[in-house]
Amino acid sequence: MRAKWVLCFLLLLECFAAFAQRNCQETLQLSRSNFDKGHLYSIPSILKPCIDKGFTKQEKIQAYWLLTQVYLLVDDPISAEDSYLKLLNLDPEYKVDEVNDPVELVYLSRNFKTTPVFSWHMAKVGVNIGNFTVINAQSMDGSNQSKGDYKSKLGFQIGTGLEIHLNDKISGIMDVSFMQRSFDYNRVMFGKDVLFKKERNSFFVVDLGGKYKFNKKKIAPFVLAGFSMNMLLGSNYEFNYTNSQGSEGAFESSGPSESNSNQRTSFNYGAYLGGGAQMRLKYSFVSFEIKYFKGFNSNVDRSVQYPFENGYHSDKNFLYAHVDDDYIANSFLFNISWIKPLYKPRKINKLTTKNIFNRIFKKNK
Amino acid sequence: MIKNLSFLLVLVILLFSCDDSMNLKRQDGSHFIKYYGSEGDQKGCDLVIVDDAVYMVGTNSTNNPDSLKNLYVVKTDLNGNTIWKHSYGTEFPDEGRAIDADSNGNIYIAGNTTTGVGLQVITVVKLASSGAVLAQATIQELESDGIKRSIESVNDISLNPDGELLVAGYSNTAHPTYGGLGVNKFYFPRLTADLQESPIVFEKIFGYSGGAEGTDSRIESAFSSGPGEYLFIGSTSADFNGDNLGKFNLLKFSINLSNSVGTPAYSRQSEDHFGSDFSINGDWITALGYSNINDQNELFISSFPSSLTGADLQVFSLNTGLNIRSASIHQFNDAFIITGTKVNGEDTDIYMASINGFGNINWSKTFGGGQNDVPGKAIAFNDKLYMVGTVSLDKQEKMCLIKTNSKGELN
């Protein structure tokens, strides 16, 4: 019984809403009609009830567009700016039609900017593939005639970030991400034996850099560059040694996956350079970028290149005849990110990044 | 302006802080582990450093059933990079045992050659620093009827200041005083620098009079302590006290190897004792050996005045608490570097330690990877330690050279 009453109430509400909607559509048409007839002063009061409650978002935008023109014509620039600002708040990507819109509106629009101060890179995912620079090739094969071969496997990264827009084209970026990198290493030993190592590293990565966008069109290409630091979260390796020439014939042995985090440097740093394009999807962007990270430091902790574990010197070295090269890990990274601009429509020169920071610091003081 | 300069400065610092081969020097100069070999098994047992080159000797055996074992020599620079590696020997199976070098940079290697069932001779090869063979000799004993029936074995070689090569080992040839065929006797053949038999009249076989029964004497290490004097360390099972226990001996001979001045053969009740190597420090000799009781081996050292006269035998157990067989001892600064084979059930590892003259351990290190890893000799050079050995690597054996800092560390 009670449910029936609730249902009736909801239906009534729906009816009222539909009525109000239909009523506000008529209000908007009436306002336009008044505008066309030159009855300007009545328009704000006609629109106000529906702006407060009744207009859809699109109708509100049209209402503020109308009000902005009304206030410009009645020589009330403050109200005009206020209406236009409200319009921009509703549609930060709103662009006046410079050909068909009244020239006053066009000029007024030039006093405002909607460029976001910050953009949040809400989800940034991608894949990476390593590229290794060997500084000093190390080997336990005293022949010194062969070098190890690094073969990178596809890794991935996932993260988020913040973009600070310094102007329409230049912005600073700080990204944080979790990155996993995998690679294989193999080396011919004693002429015919094959040492094979599989390694996987995980990092927490912080990128600090800049981005330059070439235009503000729907698809905007950009270049980016910056510095990158990463902290090792974990590293594992496993070995396989194929002895093809032992006195007992061919023999293959494999080791379990074990941590070698202590043999890798905890912090690595380098620089990156890349480019891409971002495509606007209403009030968000999808960004595609490819960048190359060039490491600056060796990833191998030289103090434990021959590890000392459980009272033994170099247990792993002896078991698999392996010692790490001094190497730098570089990477090609491909990322797709969803960028959510945090719009702040504002009058030009009134609200700048500098002002925002000033305000923040003033508040902190 | 200042901001821009600061940014530029940071950029420059970062760029110049890149690691490269200029600021990240190879570590081979300070430490490494390196393996040497090719097809089959290669063992290492002794090394010598001459003219900034490391020469290691061992045994090479290929997988080819028709090919034989040979003496195997690898020459490397001090960073362990191979300069050359060659096999030497005879048409019989050879097994490398010892290496030494003269002041001209010539290398002498010695090994055992099996010439038949129960027959073994000693093969000595003299090499130029290039690896070219300069001379080769076979050392063997023939019975009174001129027929070869014995086993001669070499454990070490040493060059005296006159360039004479002293070979230390044992022979089971028949001897009128020290026992018949099949009883091991100390054996000290001497050769000239050209590997000819020494013109000096000397007795190259020594044993224990009347101790033929149960005597099993083996010389492990030889050293020329000065002109006309030779020192040996050995082991015997001569039955002095109604036991058949192993005892270690330190023996000193005059130039004709006829008059020995030796320590008593040493053993404790119910323990076998074996001598391995010794080192001379001025007027003192420090010998290394190991005792065995119930298959548990314990290292010991013993110090003697070099005259060996009136020596009051003192033995210091190293109390490692580990099961270790001794291998070599080498004086290094005020201490001794010793090596040994650490036994872990079925596996063995390489043990290296620094000890003082009373057997107190300054530091010890174990090297190995869970299979049979065996040390050879360790020596100090330019404040670094170099040790040759044999490592097992997936059913194959490889000669290895380990270079550490003065504390046995690989960093």
Side-chain angles (χ1 to χ4, degrees):
Chain A
M1 191 67 180
R2 194 173 174 182
K4 285 180 181 172
W5 281 110
V6 171
L7 190 62
C8 288
F9 178 72
L10 288 174
L11 284 170
L12 268 174
L13 270 182
E14 180 64 27
C15 289
F16 278 124
F19 175 75
Q21 176 70 33
R22 194 164 55 244
N23 210 22
C24 281
Q25 281 176 356
E26 287 168 0
T27 301
L28 193 58
Q29 285 169 4
L30 177 65
S31 300
R32 281 184 185 138
S33 173
N34 282 355
F35 183 82
D36 292 340
K37 291 173 186 171
H39 301 160
L40 301 178
Y41 289 97
S42 62
I43 293 174
S45 56
I46 294 170
L47 287 173
K48 189 171 185 313
C50 285
I51 287 174
D52 291 342
K53 192 176 182 182
F55 277 153
T56 63
K57 187 180 175 184
Q58 279 307 314
E59 287 168 343
K60 269 189 185 178
I61 291 168
Q62 290 171 36
Y64 282 125
W65 181 84
L66 198 60
L67 279 174
T68 305
Q69 291 194 78
V70 168
Y71 288 129
L72 284 172
L73 290 172
V74 300
D75 202 17
D76 183 354
I78 293 172
S79 297
E81 286 179 354
D82 182 57
S83 296
Y84 189 69
L85 196 57
K86 285 172 177 165
L87 182 155
L88 290 178
N89 277 324
L90 287 170
D91 182 5
E93 291 294 332
Y94 178 83
K95 296 283 182 295
V96 293
D97 184 342
E98 298 208 351
V99 178
N100 298 316
D101 282 343
V103 68
E104 298 87 352
L105 185 62
V106 173
Y107 279 116
L108 178 77
S109 72
R110 289 176 184 170
N111 292 328
F112 290 85
K113 68 191 298 184
T114 57
T115 313
V117 178
F118 297 105
S119 289
W120 181 21
H121 294 207
M122 293 183 78
K124 190 168 195 171
V125 294
V127 291
N128 65 74
I129 193 149
N131 163 251
F132 298 88
T133 305
V134 176
I135 302 168
N136 293 314
Q138 306 279 357
S139 171
M140 288 178 66
D141 178 357
S143 73
N144 239 19
Q145 288 169 357
S146 64
K147 287 185 177 176
D149 181 36
Y150 291 82
K151 187 177 179 185
S152 187
K153 295 167 80 177
L154 208 60
F156 72 92
Q157 62 274 352
I158 181 165
T160 185
L162 194 67
E163 189 171 344
I164 302 168
H165 299 274
L166 303 176
N167 58 40
D168 286 347
K169 291 187 172 179
I170 299 173
S171 52
I173 299 176
M174 190 184 88
D175 283 343
V176 292
S177 59
F178 170 83
M179 184 173 100
Q180 194 170 83
R181 182 178 60 214
S182 302
F183 64 94
D184 294 341
Y185 170 90
N186 68 76
R187 181 188 177 98
V188 176
M189 304 281 288
F190 311 117
K192 288 180 183 172
D193 292 359
V194 178
L195 166 71
F196 177 79
K197 182 184 74 166
K198 205 185 285 187
E199 181 163 334
R200 191 169 61 211
N201 315 129
S202 303
F203 302 99
F204 174 71
V205 183
V206 178
D207 289 343
L208 288 171
K211 180 174 171 182
Y212 179 83
K213 274 197 302 239
F214 289 99
N215 62 47
K216 285 184 69 181
K217 293 176 184 170
K218 187 172 183 184
I219 296 177
F222 60 82
V223 290
L224 44 85
F227 293 101
S228 181
M229 293 156 282
N230 65 56
M231 185 177 79
L232 184 74
L233 298 176
S235 181
N236 279 71
Y237 61 10
E238 55 184 276
F239 285 96
N240 178 286
Y241 191 96
T242 306
N243 166 15
S244 57
Q245 52 190 358
S247 53
E248 296 181 27
F251 182 78
E252 191 171 318
S253 70
S254 299
S257 178
E258 294 177 75
S259 171
N260 66 335
S261 300
N262 67 326
Q263 290 178 265
R264 298 286 169 264
T265 46
S266 300
F267 292 93
N268 303 293
Y269 57 94
Y272 66 84
L273 187 67
Q278 62 183 51
M279 187 170 72
R280 188 154 66 84
L281 298 174
K282 218 168 181 184
Y283 302 123
S284 303
F285 292 89
V286 174
S287 171
F288 303 88
E289 70 179 31
I290 185 163
K291 63 184 183 182
Y292 180 69
F293 165 75
K294 171 77 181 83
F296 285 172
N297 66 308
S298 170
N299 288 35
V300 175
D301 185 346
R302 301 188 105 203
S303 65
V304 285
Q305 220 158 0
Y306 296 92
F308 187 73
E309 293 170 356
N310 305 320
Y312 278 82
H313 243 326
S314 316
D315 190 57
K316 300 295 178 300
N317 302 112
F318 274 98
L319 273 173
Y320 303 108
H322 172 71
V323 59
D324 283 315
D325 293 331
D326 295 315
Y327 71 84
I328 291 174
N330 314 301
S331 304
F332 285 100
L333 301 106
F334 177 74
N335 285 316
I336 300 175
S337 38
W338 177 33
I339 302 173
K340 180 78 179 165
L342 304 177
Y343 288 107
K344 189 71 181 177
R346 58 208 182 272
K347 278 193 75 173
I348 291 171
N349 297 331
K350 294 285 181 182
L351 189 63
T352 63
T353 309
K354 191 176 176 183
N355 288 345
I356 287 170
F357 280 115
N358 284 342
R359 286 178 192 183
I360 290 167
F361 289 121
K362 271 180 187 173
K363 273 184 184 175
N364 287 343
K365 283 175 186 176
Chain B
M1 181 68 176
I2 290 172
K3 278 181 187 174
N4 290 338
L5 280 175
S6 304
F7 182 67
L8 201 64
L9 189 65
V10 170
L11 268 180
V12 169
I13 290 170
L14 282 171
L15 286 174
F16 277 88
S17 63
C18 289
D19 284 339
D20 56 27
S21 56
M22 296 295 285
N23 68 358
L24 219 58
K25 299 287 184 195
R26 293 185 64 87
Q27 303 208 80
D28 303 17
S30 62
H31 61 273
F32 60 75
I33 302 170
K34 293 199 174 175
Y35 294 173
Y36 304 89
S38 51
E39 180 199 356
D41 295 332
Q42 291 76 38
K43 295 179 180 178
C45 58
D46 198 3
L47 82 167
V48 65
I49 297 179
V50 189
D51 298 333
D52 287 343
V54 181
Y55 295 86
M56 295 173 280
V57 71
T59 307
N60 178 31
S61 44
T62 67
N63 293 333
N64 185 349
D66 296 329
S67 63
L68 300 170
K69 291 193 290 185
N70 286 114
L71 308 179
Y72 188 57
V73 180
V74 178
K75 179 183 180 180
T76 74
D77 60 22
L78 293 177
N79 294 341
N81 300 312
T82 304
I83 297 171
W84 53 254
K85 52 187 178 187
H86 296 304
S87 291
Y88 304 93
T90 67
E91 69 270 29
F92 300 105
D94 306 300
E95 202 167 325
R97 300 302 297 268
I99 192 167
D100 206 348
D102 64 22
S103 54
N104 297 321
N106 297 315
I107 309 302
Y108 297 78
I109 58 172
N112 298 324
T113 300
T114 305
T115 54
V117 177
L119 301 174
Q120 186 172 287
V121 300
I122 296 170
T123 299
V124 182
V125 185
K126 181 180 180 180
L127 306 172
S129 60
S130 64
V133 175
L134 301 176
Q136 183 163 334
T138 298
I139 303 169
Q140 62 178 333
E141 293 301 312
L142 303 177
E143 302 305 316
S144 55
D145 57 5
I147 296 173
K148 163 76 177 170
R149 295 191 182 89
S150 60
I151 290 174
E152 278 73 53
S153 179
V154 58
N155 286 321
D156 200 4
I157 56 173
S158 178
L159 283 151
N160 76 7
D162 299 329
E164 199 181 32
L165 186 71
L166 190 64
V167 179
Y170 66 88
S171 171
N172 70 356
T173 188
H175 190 276
T177 310
Y178 305 128
L181 180 69
V183 176
N184 290 335
K185 295 107 187 154
F186 299 139
Y187 189 51
F188 331 101
R190 280 156 66 176
L191 302 174
T192 64
D194 295 328
L195 304 188
Q196 301 298 311
E197 192 174 337
S198 174
I200 298 171
V201 177
F202 68 103
E203 293 187 36
K204 55 190 172 187
I205 295 176
F206 182 77
Y208 292 101
S209 301
E213 293 301 321
T215 300
D216 182 8
S217 302
R218 294 168 184 242
I219 285 294
E220 301 292 339
S221 180
F223 195 89
S224 172
S225 58
E229 289 187 344
Y230 300 100
L231 280 163
F232 301 90
I233 191 170
S235 306
T236 182
S237 60
D239 191 0
F240 298 128
N241 309 312
D243 60 40
N244 285 317
L245 294 173
K247 306 161 187 72
F248 89 90
N249 314 75
L250 197 60
L251 308 167
K252 183 174 181 179
F253 289 87
S254 60
I255 193 165
N256 59 8
L257 296 180
S258 57
N259 301 313
S260 72
V261 180
T263 65
Y266 173 77
S267 74
R268 282 185 298 208
Q269 194 173 9
S270 74
E271 290 181 27
D272 286 313
H273 284 71
F274 306 99
S276 294
D277 197 9
F278 63 92
S279 174
I280 296 183
N281 178 18
D283 293 334
W284 284 87
I285 300 162
T286 302
L288 174 73
Y290 68 98
S291 58
N292 178 279
I293 179 167
N294 298 330
D295 290 331
Q296 184 71 22
N297 303 303
E298 176 57 62
L299 299 175
F300 68 83
I301 61 163
S302 186
S303 295
F304 307 89
S306 58
S307 62
L308 297 186
T309 52
D312 185 14
L313 185 69
Q314 283 189 306
V315 174
F316 305 100
S317 174
L318 267 60
N319 295 318
T320 60
L322 303 169
N323 188 353
I324 303 173
R325 293 192 298 267
S326 55
S328 74
I329 184 167
H330 177 83
Q331 194 205 336
F332 178 46
N333 297 331
D334 296 328
F336 298 95
I337 301 300
I338 62 164
T339 62
T341 303
K342 181 181 168 188
V343 181
N344 300 313
E346 298 286 311
D347 301 328
T348 59
D349 290 307
I350 295 168
Y351 179 83
M352 182 161 70
S354 167
I355 60 171
N356 66 15
F358 298 99
N360 298 312
I361 297 172
N362 301 319
W363 54 257
S364 66
K365 294 282 182 285
T366 304
F367 304 81
Q371 297 178 347
N372 289 322
D373 306 311
V374 181
K377 196 164 274 185
I379 57 176
F381 185 78
N382 286 349
D383 214 33
K384 303 289 180 190
L385 303 178
Y386 295 79
M387 176 167 58
V388 67
T390 305
V391 295
S392 291
L393 182 66
D394 286 327
K395 304 198 182 230
Q396 63 178 324
E397 292 180 309
K398 289 286 168 275
M399 175 186 278
C400 90
L401 177 64
I402 300 172
K403 179 181 181 179
T404 73
N405 66 15
S406 59
K407 293 182 178 176
E409 295 164 335
L410 285 157
N411 61 37

